[in-house]
Amino acid sequence: MGTQPPTSVEVSERDREEGPSSSEQLDAGALFVLKSRGSWLHCGYHLTTSIVAPALLSLPYALSLMGWFPGVLCLILAALITFYSYNLLSLVLEHHARTGRRQLRFRVMAEDILGPAWGRYFVGPIQFGVCYGSVIACILLGGQSLKFIYLLSTPKGSMQLYEFVSIFGILMLVLAQIPSFHSLRHISLVSLVLALAYSACTTAGSVHIGNSKNAPPKDYSINGAMQNRVFGAFNAISIIATTYGNGIIPEIQATVAPPVEGKMFKGLLVCYAVIIMTFFSVAISGYWAFGNQTKGVILNNFMVDEKPLLPTWVLLMINVLTLLQVAAVSVVYLQPTNDVFERKFADAKFDQFSIRNVVPRLVSRSLSVIIATAIAAMFPFFGDINAVVGAFGFIPLDFILPVIFYNVTFKPSKKGLMFWGNASIAIICSAVGVLGAISSIRQIFLDASTYSLFANRQMATVVPNSMNVSKVDNERGVIDSSTELDAGALFVLQSRGSWIHCGFHLTTSIVGPVIFSLPFALALLGWVPGVLILTLAALVTFYAYNLLSAVLEHHEKLGKRQIRFRDMARDILGPGWGKFFVGPLQFSICYGAVIACTLIGGQSLKFIYLLYNSNGTMQLYQFIIIFGAATLFLAQMPSFHSLRHINLFSLILCLAYSACVAAGSIHTGKSKNAPSKDYSIKGSQENQFFSAINAISIISTTYASGIIPEIQATIAPPIKGKMFKGLCICYAVIGSYWSFGNQAQPTILANFMGDGQPLLPRWFLLLTNIFTLMQVTAIALVYLQPTNDVFERKFADAKFDQFSIRNVVPRLVSRSLSVIIATAIAAMFPFFGDINAVVGAFGFIPLDFILPVIFYNVTFKPSKKGLMFWGNASIAIICSAVGVLGAISSIRQIFLDASTYSLFANV
């Protein structure tokens, strides 16, 4: 190759002939994967393959969750909206191509239209997840088709599903090496024909079975309780959204040779002609034949007790056609991931087929397929994956963003139908997406509890064997119900405390240095909203914690004492909720709290250091490591109950440093060095809105505990009434905003320094930070207990004494690793206020505001005409909305702030 000018990339003669798509020099991904050489007809083939895929075999199941009229209506509406939105997306792409900036990727569209962060942190990751998730789902369906063919000839065959998934993965390993999107045009044409063929066969098969003597009774009612029917309907919407989903419209349009005007519309006409013929025929015929007995994939209804309801050759033909087409779909959805890898690892200065570019392509594509195959083999529930992909990925990319892009690009009149029609689509689809995400994740939790990794079929739930309890533990008073306890409950959550000890634990878990963020939260809200939110949060959490305690006491009276939040969710809402929602969520927030405490402990140490050495060169991460070393030693304390004296000391400390901070704020506010008191809220209206939601997340974290059942588990039985007394102590312990107005920093201690100089006497600041340092250590130990419980439940043995070598060694290793990892994370990401808001939105709001009222309503079933039921329901709904908005706002804030930080930053 010749020498290149330093500001451009040389394109080989072959690539010039293949038509680079704009005046800009293209990277390797665009040159090699997204070659712009196709016609509108090729575009139609690619569109059809990416949309009309074996996912359509789940449409009858979606109709069974909704019923005839709502189901068919949703099918029609989804067709109209996606056709409309894909055309809008195409118009936006054509507009930018005419201005000389042809956008070849969805991520680039978002960057140009909404800003760099949207492309990099939202659209890019979502599209990559959608495409790679589709590849996984296709590999899984390919394996299922192979297994179906195998069972037709060998009904008693012993080969497992994961083996067929691996075989299909090997086929994909070969097909994935096809060099570019344009190279797939003939495969996509064959795929179009295959889709028509297997859809026709499936429709004919459904009609034949529905009219035969083997036809199941046709019951079109919707199964289940009202709650399950509502969740099922949103799950169905997610499935339908996935079926119509594409997620790669810009990449497909990028394969069209310029000029691009009008070509995408013709391609969409080809695609939607096929959609009408396939989607509606399969959905309607399948639901008509099997009613509410329709399974996740309609082909599964063609077998009953491993006996085919159709001639074997028909089933064989359907599955062979499906198998071939799913391979084509997989290759299409691999292209955006291939583009990502080649953009990073290939070199556009060399020819596409040079050794320099072939080797990285071979390695990256092979690894991509191998990983997707492994995931598909591990999690064999295609219908559920389908719904999650639809809710989290396809709805934003295909229903919401196109209309937003159009409105932002063309700026239609806000008085016109176009603007408000697009806005309505975006708002309604956003709401449906959130509900669909909740519903589809819930469905995975419900279904996944019956699976094991690499499962061949649904497995019966296995009841674990009970453990023996040693005599010494009996004497310690840890046996508090008729159920024998595991090692985590016996050793970590010993039930020996009084209500006073419970109050100490509660105070330490709630009243911590997180209160230093409250003035910052008020600065984001203003006086009246801020104080009102503080008051409401106190009332709601006190009420919710009492409801949680009442539910725990109720189950204890029934002989089933629940000692973990996960156990409550399992017993009240079902096994999936405990194992896959509450358990991981609680573990995350507890471990996140440990990380945050380690971070603020390091900040306090650094603050003390700078008081006496303002020009010191030690970095924040060094202080975090020092704090982590102290926690490493204290984390070895054996149980929650053994922390009772530390938590009493912690209660005194929090009173002490709160008094110091309040006094320091008043002193600074009245001094000559006081900053100007400005109580206005900074920023644009958009920033004020997001900041207010962020502030609510911070306040929710401040009042949150997340470990109420675990704390109540430390009380010696009987527990009736003891938790309420403990809460009274805590809330008795539960006005820095005036001093600093809207200048309040994310932690108020930062306001006590001005230009590196203290605004208060050094001894006073030293005392305050020492108190903070000691109390934050106690909080870290409290929030380590649920993680210690998890590890000891898995690695300790209740047959041996707690302090035997058999149990001490695993405890030493697991707790040390836990602290070391938390310290490393804290040192890497030093922005406490932002972490605080994310933890509040994602974790504490569900556990402390929403689930307690749901648990109460489900357990005690108050009258639906009464105030208690609707008051609880209102709390759950409002807090859910606040949680969603808080999650969006806090993640946005992290994106905004993180751009100014580097790993191990010295802030």
Side-chain angles (χ1 to χ4, degrees):
M1 306 295 292
T3 303
Q4 287 78 28
T7 57
S8 66
V9 176
E10 181 179 333
V11 180
S12 67
E13 189 63 32
R14 176 184 300 175
D15 289 322
R16 285 197 183 95
E17 292 170 357
E18 288 168 355
S21 54
S22 76
S23 60
E24 298 183 22
Q25 298 296 333
L26 304 180
D27 56 51
L31 282 172
F32 300 155
V33 179
L34 305 176
K35 295 179 178 179
S36 303
R37 299 184 60 199
S39 67
W40 66 267
L41 205 51
H42 300 150
C43 176
Y45 302 159
H46 297 320
L47 283 166
T48 305
T49 300
S50 64
I51 299 176
V52 187
L56 68 89
L57 299 176
S58 294
L59 287 176
Y61 174 66
L63 262 64
S64 74
L65 297 175
M66 301 181 77
W68 272 117
F69 179 74
V72 175
L73 180 63
C74 278
L75 274 177
I76 295 170
L77 285 176
L80 294 174
I81 291 172
T82 51
F83 185 79
Y84 173 72
S85 64
Y86 294 155
N87 271 295
L88 293 189
L89 210 56
S90 176
L91 291 174
V92 173
L93 288 165
E94 290 178 6
H95 169 78
H96 287 281
R98 285 196 298 269
T99 62
R101 168 68 172 167
R102 186 171 180 191
Q103 298 158 328
L104 303 178
R105 303 176 177 104
F106 218 136
R107 175 181 54 78
V108 176
M109 287 191 76
E111 289 176 356
D112 291 349
I113 298 170
L114 301 181
W118 282 92
R120 179 177 298 177
Y121 299 110
F122 183 74
V123 172
I126 283 184
Q127 188 193 39
F128 187 90
V130 162
C131 292
Y132 202 62
S134 298
V135 172
I136 294 168
C138 286
I139 291 174
L140 177 55
L141 186 56
Q144 289 173 333
S145 294
L146 280 173
K147 183 187 172 189
F148 198 102
I149 294 168
Y150 169 73
L151 291 177
L152 283 176
S153 58
T154 314
K156 302 296 182 181
S158 59
M159 288 184 69
Q160 304 291 298
L161 175 60
Y162 73 85
E163 296 175 271
F164 295 105
V165 171
S166 301
I167 293 169
F168 187 82
I170 293 170
L171 170 64
M172 287 306 306
L173 206 58
V174 176
L175 292 176
Q177 307 307 325
I178 295 176
S180 69
F181 215 143
H182 183 64
S183 307
L184 297 177
R185 61 195 182 280
H186 304 302
I187 291 178
S188 293
L189 171 59
V190 173
S191 169
L192 186 154
V193 176
L194 289 170
L196 289 170
Y198 72 69
S199 297
C201 291
T202 302
T203 302
S206 297
V207 172
H208 175 78
I209 294 172
N211 285 323
S212 71
K213 62 180 181 180
N214 296 320
K218 295 180 176 63
D219 181 2
Y220 301 114
S221 62
I222 302 174
N223 291 327
M226 179 59 70
Q227 175 190 1
N228 292 335
R229 290 163 67 177
V230 171
F231 279 116
F234 285 112
N235 197 21
I237 292 172
S238 297
I239 292 173
I240 291 171
T242 305
T243 310
Y244 280 100
N246 178 281
I248 55 175
I249 292 291
E251 285 78 4
I252 290 176
Q253 190 154 333
T255 66
V256 179
V260 298
E261 280 80 4
K263 294 181 180 178
M264 191 66 166
F265 180 76
K266 295 178 183 177
L268 280 168
L269 291 177
V270 172
C271 174
Y272 274 77
V274 178
I275 284 175
I276 292 170
M277 288 187 280
T278 55
F279 283 21
F280 288 87
S281 61
V282 170
I284 292 171
S285 64
Y287 184 46
W288 170 80
F290 302 104
N292 59 19
Q293 301 303 311
T294 305
K295 297 181 180 178
V297 176
I298 192 63
L299 298 183
N300 292 335
N301 285 98
F302 293 173
M303 299 280 285
V304 175
D305 298 328
E306 299 184 352
K307 295 181 180 178
L309 299 179
L310 291 172
T312 302
W313 66 269
V314 175
L315 294 176
L316 177 64
M317 184 170 64
I318 292 174
N319 276 275
V320 169
L321 295 172
T322 304
L323 186 67
L324 293 172
Q325 206 245 357
V326 82
V329 175
S330 299
V331 178
V332 165
Y333 275 104
L334 269 174
Q335 297 312 305
T337 60
N338 294 341
D339 169 45
V340 170
F341 292 133
E342 299 217 9
R343 190 167 71 247
K344 290 184 180 295
F345 303 121
D347 191 337
K349 298 175 184 178
F350 295 85
D351 186 76
Q352 181 180 7
F353 300 103
S354 64
I355 294 295
R356 166 64 184 81
N357 288 325
V358 167
V359 172
R361 178 168 71 241
L362 183 65
V363 172
S364 63
R365 296 189 181 191
S366 299
L367 280 175
S368 178
V369 172
I370 289 168
I371 293 170
T373 303
I375 295 173
M378 290 173 69
F379 304 105
F381 30 94
F382 172 71
D384 293 350
I385 291 174
N386 217 15
V388 174
V389 171
F392 277 106
F394 285 119
I395 288 178
L397 294 184
D398 295 326
F399 291 77
I400 301 170
L401 283 177
V403 294
I404 293 175
F405 285 171
Y406 185 90
N407 278 7
V408 173
T409 300
F410 292 103
K411 297 180 175 60
S413 171
K414 292 184 179 179
K415 298 179 180 179
L417 180 62
M418 176 68 80
F419 178 87
W420 288 108
N422 290 346
S424 300
I425 290 173
I427 293 169
I428 294 169
C429 291
S430 296
V432 169
V434 171
L435 293 171
I438 295 170
S439 176
S440 53
I441 291 174
R442 170 182 177 271
Q443 191 62 41
I444 276 193
F445 291 159
L446 295 175
D447 292 352
S449 62
T450 63
Y451 283 92
S452 60
L453 293 182
F454 300 99
N456 188 45
R457 55 178 63 86
Q458 284 193 330
M459 308 294 291
T461 303
V462 180
V463 180
N465 294 326
S466 62
M467 291 185 173
N468 297 325
V469 182
S470 63
K471 181 179 179 181
V472 67
D473 290 317
N474 247 323
E475 293 170 354
R476 287 180 187 149
V478 294
I479 304 302
D480 50 22
S481 76
S482 59
T483 305
E484 294 183 326
L485 303 180
D486 55 52
L490 285 170
F491 300 155
V492 180
L493 306 176
Q494 294 180 358
S495 303
R496 299 181 61 198
S498 67
W499 65 269
I500 295 179
H501 301 150
C502 174
F504 300 162
H505 299 321
L506 283 166
T507 304
T508 302
S509 69
I510 297 174
V511 187
V514 69
I515 64 172
F516 292 158
S517 294
L518 287 178
F520 176 65
L522 264 65
L524 298 176
L525 286 165
W527 271 115
V528 174
V531 175
L532 179 63
I533 295 294
L534 273 175
T535 306
L536 285 175
L539 294 174
V540 171
T541 51
F542 186 79
Y543 173 73
Y545 294 156
N546 272 292
L547 293 189
L548 211 55
S549 177
V551 173
L552 288 164
E553 291 179 7
H554 171 76
H555 283 93
E556 197 229 2
K557 284 188 289 189
L558 298 177
K560 176 69 172 176
R561 187 170 182 190
Q562 299 157 326
I563 58 175
R564 301 179 179 102
F565 220 135
R566 184 186 70 254
D567 297 339
M568 291 189 73
R570 179 198 64 206
D571 294 344
I572 297 170
L573 300 181
W577 283 91
K579 183 182 292 186
F580 299 105
F581 182 73
V582 171
L585 196 61
Q586 187 192 40
F587 185 90
S588 299
I589 65 169
C590 288
Y591 201 61
V594 174
I595 295 167
C597 286
T598 305
L599 176 56
I600 201 170
Q603 289 173 333
S604 293
L605 281 172
K606 182 187 173 189
F607 197 102
I608 294 169
Y609 170 73
L610 292 176
L611 278 176
Y612 295 95
N613 190 3
S614 57
N615 296 319
T617 58
M618 286 185 68
Q619 304 290 299
L620 175 60
Y621 74 86
Q622 295 171 288
F623 295 105
I624 291 172
I625 292 170
I626 293 170
F627 183 86
T631 309
L632 195 63
F633 172 74
L634 293 171
Q636 307 308 324
M637 297 192 70
S639 68
F640 216 139
H641 184 63
S642 62
L643 297 177
R644 62 196 182 280
H645 302 303
I646 291 178
N647 287 337
L648 169 60
F649 189 49
S650 167
L651 186 154
I652 297 169
L653 287 170
C654 72
L655 288 172
Y657 71 65
S658 297
C660 289
V661 171
S665 299
I666 293 170
H667 174 80
T668 306
K670 288 184 174 181
S671 71
K672 62 181 181 180
N673 296 320
S676 57
K677 295 180 181 65
D678 179 7
Y679 301 115
S680 63
I681 302 174
K682 293 180 175 180
S684 64
Q685 191 170 1
E686 176 191 357
N687 288 334
Q688 289 182 29
F689 171 77
F690 280 112
S691 296
I693 299 299
N694 198 20
I696 294 172
S697 296
I698 292 173
I699 291 172
S700 71
T701 305
T702 309
Y703 281 101
S705 169
I707 53 174
I708 295 294
E710 285 76 7
I711 290 176
Q712 190 156 331
T714 66
I715 301 174
I719 61 173
K720 184 172 178 60
K722 295 180 180 178
M723 191 65 168
F724 178 77
K725 295 177 182 178
L727 282 167
C728 288
I729 291 177
C730 174
Y731 275 77
V733 175
I734 308 239
S736 301
Y737 176 59
W738 165 78
S739 299
F740 299 103
N742 64 15
Q743 305 301 317
Q745 299 294 319
T747 56
I748 194 65
L749 295 181
N751 284 99
F752 293 162
M753 299 288 285
D755 297 324
Q757 298 299 317
L759 302 178
L760 293 170
R762 292 180 191 273
W763 66 266
F764 188 88
L765 293 176
L766 175 65
L767 189 66
T768 303
N769 276 274
I770 289 174
F771 288 160
T772 304
L773 189 64
M774 296 171 72
Q775 206 244 356
V776 82
T777 306
I779 296 171
L781 296 179
V782 164
Y783 277 103
L784 269 173
Q785 298 311 307
T787 61
N788 294 341
D789 169 45
V790 169
F791 292 130
E792 298 214 13
R793 190 168 72 249
K794 291 182 180 296
F795 302 121
D797 192 336
K799 297 176 184 177
F800 294 85
D801 185 77
Q802 182 180 8
F803 300 103
S804 64
I805 294 295
R806 166 63 184 81
N807 288 325
V808 167
V809 173
R811 178 168 73 238
L812 184 65
V813 172
S814 62
R815 295 189 181 192
S816 299
L817 281 174
S818 179
V819 171
I820 290 168
I821 293 169
T823 303
I825 295 172
M828 291 174 68
F829 304 104
F831 28 96
F832 174 71
D834 293 350
I835 291 174
N836 217 13
V838 174
V839 171
F842 276 107
F844 285 119
I845 288 178
L847 292 186
D848 292 326
F849 292 78
I850 301 170
L851 283 177
V853 295
I854 292 175
F855 285 172
Y856 186 91
N857 278 7
V858 174
T859 300
F860 292 103
K861 297 180 174 61
S863 170
K864 292 183 179 179
K865 297 179 180 179
L867 180 63
M868 176 68 80
F869 177 87
W870 288 107
N872 290 346
S874 299
I875 290 173
I877 293 168
I878 293 169
C879 291
S880 296
V882 169
V884 171
L885 292 172
I888 296 169
S889 175
S890 52
I891 291 172
R892 171 183 176 270
Q893 192 62 42
I894 278 191
F895 288 157
L896 294 175
D897 292 352
S899 62
T900 64
Y901 286 97
S902 60
L903 293 182
F904 301 100
N906 186 38
V907 296

